[in-house]
């Protein structure tokens, strides 16, 4: 099952009050699906509910599969995915377009660091996992972490332009808030994947290349033109 780093987000837990506390780089054993619960009567088919309870939906899906599946289950908890082509989340494009247009990028005060993974390596892990004997939760992430300034630096290098990053104490709801800005550290440890035999490339080695390719893939993009 393709799960997500959002299972470690403490903002919206349904079955734990208060929500459990996780390490700055959460480990798989800190959230055991066998010790959680799931509720099929919740309005999972309602789009508004799904959007607001994405992490909870993944937690409950992990639990349902762990308890009920008749086959071995591996839960791939995938970090924030970045890709030069097919940037389906739009997160990298957000930074490219604003930097090109001279628009501000808002961040939390002293933004935390988070986990990223290159799209090709996330897909590679899923293909590897299909043939592996490993089961249970596995964090799918580069071994290092990054913050909004690291992402902006990669785009700055690719465009030759400077990013205008503005830190705010409470930027919630700000349309210019970077999707890679976290109020505190929010990452995952990738030690288990490495121990199982699948290693991920450090962010510092692939992010600049992804940014360059993404900029080249959007030669005429401009934030102001798209508004």
């Amino acid at each position: 099952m393709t799960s997500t780093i959002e299972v470690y987000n403490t903002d919206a837990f349904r079955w734990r009050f208060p929500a459990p506390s996780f390490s700055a780089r959460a480990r798989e054993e800190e959230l055991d699906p066998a010790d959680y619960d799931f509720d099929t009567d919740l309005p999972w088919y309602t789009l508004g509910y799904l959007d607001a309870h994405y992490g909870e939906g993944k937690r409950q899906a992990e639990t349902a599969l762990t308890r009920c599946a008749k086959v071995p289950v591996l839960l791939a908890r995938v970090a924030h995915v970045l890709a030069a082509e097919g940037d389906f989340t739009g997160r990298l494009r957000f930074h490219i377009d604003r930097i090109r247009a001279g628009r501000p990028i808002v961040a939390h005060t002293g933004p935390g660091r988070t986990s990223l993974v290159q799209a090709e390596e996330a897909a590679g892990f899923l293909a590897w996992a299909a043939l592996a004997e490993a089961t249970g939760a596995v964090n799918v992430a580069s071994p290092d972490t990054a913050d909004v300034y690291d992402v902006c630096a990669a785009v700055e290098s690719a465009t030759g332009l400077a990013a205008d990053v503005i830190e705010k104490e409470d930027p919630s709801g700000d349309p210019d808030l970077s999707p890679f800005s976290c109020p505190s550290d929010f990452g995952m440890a990738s030690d288990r994947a490495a121990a199982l035999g699948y290693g991920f490339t450090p962010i510092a080695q692939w992010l600049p290349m992804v940014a360059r390719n993404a900029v080249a893939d959007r030669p005429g993009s401009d934030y102001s033109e798209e508004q």
Side-chain angles (χ1 to χ4, degrees):
M1 172 189 163
T2 305
S3 190
T4 173
I5 185 175
E6 290 299 323
V7 298
Y8 298 118
N9 190 332
T10 60
D11 288 345
F13 267 71
R14 180 177 174 87
W15 299 108
R16 293 287 185 275
F17 300 101
S21 58
F22 299 113
S23 304
R25 299 187 64 188
R27 308 184 69 85
E28 293 88 348
E29 61 267 22
E30 294 180 48
L31 180 64
D32 183 0
D35 190 38
Y36 206 62
D37 210 338
F38 65 95
D39 185 351
T40 57
D41 291 329
L42 292 173
W44 296 116
Y45 294 103
T46 304
L47 291 179
Y49 188 87
L50 283 173
D51 292 342
H53 297 84
Y54 175 72
E56 179 65 18
K58 289 290 190 180
R59 282 188 291 269
Q60 293 199 24
E62 286 188 0
T63 296
L65 281 173
T66 298
R67 291 188 184 177
C68 305
K70 302 301 182 183
V71 295
V73 174
L74 184 143
L75 310 167
R77 292 173 176 168
V78 182
H80 305 295
V81 179
L82 268 78
E85 298 179 6
D87 178 20
F88 66 96
T89 67
R91 291 168 181 158
L92 186 56
R93 185 170 65 249
F94 170 99
H95 297 81
I96 293 172
D97 291 348
R98 278 165 176 75
I99 290 173
R100 277 179 160 167
R103 298 274 305 197
I105 293 173
V106 172
H108 295 82
T109 300
R113 303 183 68 79
T114 191
S115 289
L116 310 177
V117 67
Q118 190 175 3
E120 290 82 357
E121 290 197 343
F125 175 83
L126 296 176
W128 172 86
L131 301 176
E133 296 182 358
T135 59
V138 184
N139 291 338
V140 179
S142 288
D144 50 349
T145 56
D147 63 16
V148 59
Y149 288 103
D150 295 319
V151 176
C152 285
V155 177
E156 287 176 324
S157 178
T159 60
L161 302 171
D164 179 19
V165 180
I166 301 172
E167 294 189 9
K168 292 185 178 181
E169 193 68 35
D170 182 13
S172 56
D174 193 314
D176 291 323
L177 176 62
S178 167
F180 292 120
S181 179
C182 304
S184 59
D185 288 343
F186 177 53
M188 301 189 295
S190 59
D191 300 4
R192 182 165 192 241
L196 291 171
Y198 196 96
F200 294 95
T201 306
I203 295 170
Q205 293 182 23
W206 59 259
L207 182 55
M209 176 199 65
V210 167
R212 286 195 302 271
N213 290 343
V215 166
D217 193 48
R218 292 175 63 77
S221 69
D222 184 284
Y223 177 78
S224 61
E225 291 176 358
E226 295 178 0
Q227 300 308 299

